[in-house]
Amino acid sequence: MTYTLYGIPNCDTVKKARTWLNERGVRYAFHDYKKAGIDEARLKSWVEELGWEAVLNRAGTTFKKLDDADKADLNAGKAVGLMLAQPSMIKRPILDLGDRRIAGFKPDIYEAALGAFL
């Protein structure tokens, strides 16, 4: 089975996730937000599955540079709009396993999710 890892190539966390996957021989396709963007339907499905709070990267520089008005009164719809406008605000990486997604990278979570397939 081939998975999809969503992110941007120069992100340190994405690099760690890619190294982890590569070292274990996990096949995956890499989707670069900077080059390929993200479609609204996919982003909305992630928000529905994981919650906008898990998908929106509020710790990143792009979010922190927003005007206070853009940061105020966040909800799922507003978060999706911000992420569509600037995909750098999407939590990185998102690993799509087909039947579910994982936001961010933690080796123990990847191991638990993929252990049976390694």
Side-chain angles (χ1 to χ4, degrees):
M1 167 142 203
T2 300
Y3 307 110
T4 303
L5 187 73
Y6 293 84
I8 56 178
N10 62 340
C11 171
D12 288 339
T13 307
V14 170
K15 288 177 185 177
K16 289 175 189 174
R18 293 180 84 176
T19 297
W20 191 95
L21 293 167
N22 290 335
E23 286 175 349
R24 286 153 184 81
V26 176
R27 293 186 354 222
Y28 66 94
F30 182 70
H31 179 100
D32 183 347
Y33 295 134
K34 294 283 188 180
K35 291 182 180 175
I38 190 71
D39 65 274
E40 185 174 1
R42 183 176 316 275
L43 186 56
K44 282 182 173 180
S45 72
W46 293 349
V47 166
E48 190 173 303
E49 177 184 354
L50 303 169
W52 68 266
E53 298 90 342
V55 180
L56 178 64
N57 180 14
R58 289 179 279 183
T61 307
T62 306
F63 183 82
K64 288 179 181 180
K65 288 182 180 179
L66 289 175
D67 293 333
D68 288 340
D70 289 330
K71 295 179 197 175
D73 302 319
L74 283 172
N75 58 35
K78 189 172 181 181
V80 167
L82 290 171
M83 291 183 283
L84 284 172
Q86 298 190 57
S88 295
M89 281 194 259
I90 302 170
K91 178 81 171 179
R92 300 182 298 265
I94 300 281
L95 178 61
D96 187 334
L97 300 172
D99 62 341
R100 63 192 157 98
R101 266 92 358 236
I102 300 171
F105 171 68
K106 291 200 164 92
D108 56 329
I109 293 173
Y110 273 41
E111 185 71 38
L114 297 168
F117 301 105
L118 301 179

